[in-house]
Amino acid sequence: MSDCTHDCSTCGSNCGSRDKKSFIKPLHKKARVKKVIAVASGKGGVGKSLVTSLLAVRALARGYRVAVLDADITGPSIPKMFGVHERARGEEGTIYPVCSKGGVQTMSMNALLEHEEDPVVWRGSLIAGAAVQFWTDVLWQDVDIMFIDMPPGTGDVPLSVYQSIPLSGIVIVTTPQDLVEMIVKKAVKMAEMMHIPVLGLAENMSYFACPDCGKKHEIFGASKAEELGKKYAFLATARIPIDPAVARLADEGRIEEADTDALAEIFAQIEGAREIKN
Ligand code: ADP
């Protein structure tokens, strides 16, 4: 291995000088991934998977080779949004990612289940293990930017994913009515503990733009994006509107056709984020 930075938190290599306290797991030995961005939220249902998908779509449109690792094992929604329904192929120690129409490499629990509708009723340690296996056992091919749809919350499962996968940065997703400040504080603390930069805060369902009068209605309460962005010195913030059209595209597996302009600022931070070592 060349150019050791002695920072095991950004390195997936399993070399002899690895910090023995580091829990980072090595990537599949033939896989290559330059940047890894975790998309996290305090709870489920706030649009974390949608934001993950939109960021991936934006990266794809800009010519990057993109992957999405769906670490939300019990609520996997990435395959549906990308219209991917095949099961993953695998052989001894290797699982092949499933590609979307536009070429996004994906891996999700759904791709391994006999029936997509089967629930996953495992204990936390197994769930975390499966998410980490998507990192260690999948042959990700020359990926410029991988997005990880994190398990919601700040409990044991997301923690072990944070500890096991080297990250370039985190994007936090909230909604205005979420207990935003507490969740943001927790996520920021967790990121600090792991020495991972928070690249941006995406406030989803921030407002609804009336198609008739153009007025922005803050359906779920006043936006806190700007205030929190300043308070925690986030590099970028985004306000994503409630948009029935995007919900339809997500439902129909056509998210690659969605408009991603609301995430421009956050994506610019991702483009500037550090690369990890393989
Ligand atoms: P999470 O990953 O946080 O559980 P999802 O991304 O799966 O949440 O979103 C939950 C549901 O809400 C999905 O059906 C999604 O299409 C819809 N949704 C999320 N954000 C928006 C939005 N801004 N406008 C319209 N529908 C949205």
Side-chain angles (χ1 to χ4, degrees):
M1 205 197 65
S2 59
D3 303 334
C4 179
T5 59
H6 304 283
D7 179 5
C8 301
S9 67
T10 57
C11 186
S13 166
N14 207 12
C15 77
S17 56
R18 173 163 285 292
D19 174 358
K20 295 291 175 279
K21 292 197 293 299
S22 169
F23 297 108
I24 296 281
K25 297 280 194 295
L27 190 58
H28 184 291
K29 61 180 183 301
K30 288 189 185 153
R32 289 289 170 269
V33 179
K34 285 189 189 155
K35 287 183 189 176
V36 186
I37 308 297
V39 183
S41 68
K43 61 174 189 182
V46 300
K48 174 178 51 62
S49 304
L50 183 80
V51 172
T52 308
S53 302
L54 292 177
L55 286 170
V57 170
R58 191 161 185 93
L60 192 69
R62 269 148 190 75
Y64 292 102
R65 291 179 60 101
V66 184
V68 180
L69 187 162
D70 190 354
D72 195 349
I73 301 296
T74 53
S77 32
I78 294 299
K80 185 166 185 246
M81 290 189 184
F82 281 93
V84 166
H85 299 287
E86 298 117 84
R87 292 185 63 197
R89 287 189 307 115
E91 56 197 28
E92 198 59 37
T94 299
I95 310 171
Y96 295 93
V98 185
C99 270
S100 72
K101 204 165 145 200
V104 176
Q105 300 174 43
T106 71
M107 183 48 60
S108 172
M109 200 59 207
N110 269 4
L112 303 180
L113 295 173
E114 186 99 21
H115 306 287
E116 283 182 340
E117 315 78 36
D118 288 348
V120 175
V121 286
W122 299 340
R123 285 179 193 280
S125 55
L126 264 184
I127 294 172
V132 174
Q133 253 184 302
F134 290 168
W135 173 252
T136 57
D137 293 4
V138 174
L139 185 45
W140 300 105
Q141 287 158 23
D142 290 323
V143 173
D144 294 318
I145 311 177
M146 170 186 280
F147 295 93
I148 303 190
D149 188 356
M150 290 292 290
T154 47
D156 284 354
V157 177
L159 185 66
S160 68
V161 177
Y162 280 120
Q163 286 177 325
S164 306
I165 302 181
L167 296 174
S168 310
I170 300 179
V171 173
I172 301 174
V173 183
T174 61
T175 56
Q177 95 278 26
D178 216 350
L179 294 169
V180 173
E181 173 104 40
M182 190 184 78
I183 285 159
V184 167
K185 233 187 216 165
K186 270 194 189 183
V188 167
K189 262 201 183 143
M190 197 140 145
E192 270 172 10
M193 274 163 53
M194 306 279 159
H195 307 288
I196 306 161
V198 177
L199 300 173
L201 173 75
E203 184 178 74
N204 189 30
M205 309 193 203
S206 188
Y207 61 89
F208 175 72
C210 174
D212 298 325
C213 67
K215 196 170 168 219
K216 291 181 179 176
H217 299 278
E218 296 187 315
I219 309 265
F220 294 123
S223 171
K224 301 186 186 75
E226 200 184 323
E227 178 195 323
L228 289 170
K230 278 196 188 126
K231 183 162 177 185
Y232 292 97
F234 289 134
L235 299 170
T237 53
R239 294 185 66 190
I240 303 167
I242 299 169
D243 181 357
V246 85
R248 203 171 322 114
L249 289 176
D251 269 356
E252 292 173 357
R254 294 163 53 213
I255 200 66
E256 287 173 349
E257 296 168 35
D259 182 82
T260 62
D261 284 352
L263 288 161
E265 252 189 64
I266 293 183
F267 188 72
Q269 291 299 328
I270 291 172
E271 285 186 299
R274 67 193 180 189
E275 293 188 5
I276 59 153
K277 294 245 167 224
N278 296 174

